[in-house]
């Protein structure tokens, strides 16, 4: 393969670093196959092939966005991939992705912590201990420690569902941007 095309592939690979090595290798292999097809079948020069593929950063972003949108769940690797995608997403991504991704992850975390806090408060009350750092309060009304448990479970579920919804919005936005970059 030509030096120009190898340099192009190296740049794409560098932009795909948040992905696993196996996923990166599959993508690079797919791009190489497309390059070979353009070179042999359409008799294009390496410069023409590079021009057709476009900016390596945008191509990598499209693959990264597609990979993020296809997988479900939220883990540290995926959050890192979202942040890498965010770095290359442009002006719209500067406002939408931080809001939806970070707030979504934070709300899901709160959805797990809130019921645990209610459980600690209720258990403390039943054991005759006051846990003053955990309070379930709306305005000036403070819930009884035993009432705090079901209320915190309810609030935790609402937080988690809101976070999950924002995470889905994040993935949908990434999918839309990635499809736009692939064209």
């Amino acid at each position: 393969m030509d030096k120009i095309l190898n340099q192009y592939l190296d740049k794409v690979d560098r932009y795909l670093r948040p992905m696993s090595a196996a996923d990166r290798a599959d993508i690079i292999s797919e791009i190489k196959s497309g390059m070979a097809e353009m070179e042999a079948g359409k008799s294009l020069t390496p410069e023409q092939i590079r021009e057709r593929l476009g900016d390596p950063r945008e191509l990598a972003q499209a693959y990264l966005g597609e990979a993020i949108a296809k997988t479900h769940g939220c883990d540290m690797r995926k959050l890192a991939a979202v942040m890498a995608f965010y770095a290359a997403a442009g002006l719209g991504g500067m406002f939408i992705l931080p809001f939806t991704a970070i707030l979504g992850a934070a709300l899901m975390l709160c959805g797990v912590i809130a019921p645990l806090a209610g459980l600690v408060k209720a258990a403390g009350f039943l054991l005759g201990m006051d846990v003053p750092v955990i309070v379930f309060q709306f305005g000036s009304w403070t819930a009884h420690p035993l009432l705090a448990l079901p209320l915190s479970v309810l609030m935790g579920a609402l937080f988690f569902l809101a976070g999950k919804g924002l995470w889905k919005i994040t993935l949908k936005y990434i999918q839309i941007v990635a499809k736009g970059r692939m064209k």
Side-chain angles (χ1 to χ4, degrees), residues 2 10 14 45 58 71 125 132 137:
D2 187 77
D10 288 342
R14 202 171 335 129
T45 67
E58 288 183 7
T71 58
F125 177 77
Q137 185 173 358

Side-chain angles (χ1 to χ4, degrees), residues 136-159:
F136 195 92
Q137 185 173 358
F138 284 115
S140 62
W141 178 77
T142 303
H144 186 275
L146 291 178
L147 184 58
L149 179 59
L151 288 175
S152 66
V153 169
L154 175 66
M155 291 304 295
L158 292 175
F159 285 151

Side-chain angles (χ1 to χ4, degrees), residues 27-155:
I27 291 170
I28 295 300
S29 176
E30 182 180 326
I31 295 171
K32 271 185 185 177
S33 173
M35 287 175 164
E37 186 179 304
M38 284 187 256
E39 198 170 33
K42 298 179 182 176
S43 301
L44 297 177
T45 67
E47 291 83 11
Q48 290 171 322
I49 293 171
R50 190 181 66 193
E51 189 177 306
R52 277 213 177 164
L53 291 174
D55 181 47
R57 184 178 191 167
E58 288 183 7
L59 182 62
Q61 182 187 6
Y63 277 103
L64 187 60
E66 186 178 308
I68 292 168
K70 280 183 182 178
T71 58
H72 298 289
C74 179
D75 58 16
M76 291 308 289
R77 186 178 248 322
K78 188 161 186 176
L79 194 56
V82 168
M83 292 306 143
F85 184 85
Y86 161 71
L91 191 58
M94 288 177 61
F95 299 107
I96 296 169
L97 285 176
F99 178 79
T100 59
I102 295 170
L103 185 58
L107 283 173
M108 284 190 285
L109 180 63
C110 289
V112 172
I113 292 172
L116 294 176
L119 182 64
V120 169
K121 184 70 171 181
F125 177 77
L126 292 173
L127 295 172
M129 298 184 299
D130 185 29
V131 185
V133 295
I134 301 174
V135 179
F136 195 92
Q137 185 173 358
F138 284 115
S140 62
W141 178 77
T142 303
H144 186 275
L146 291 178
L147 184 58
L149 179 59
L151 288 175
S152 66
V153 169
L154 175 66
M155 291 304 295

Side-chain angles (χ1 to χ4, degrees), residues 169-180:
I169 290 170
T170 301
L171 297 180
K172 189 66 175 171
Y173 177 78
I174 289 170
Q175 188 177 34
I176 289 168
V177 171
K179 282 183 182 176

Side-chain angles (χ1 to χ4, degrees), residues 2-22:
D2 187 77
K3 181 181 177 183
I4 293 172
L5 298 180
N6 281 328
Q7 288 174 340
Y8 183 90
L9 289 171
D10 288 342
K11 287 180 183 179
V12 171
D13 187 54
R14 202 171 335 129
Y15 290 124
L16 293 173
R17 288 278 182 227
M19 299 179 78
S20 69

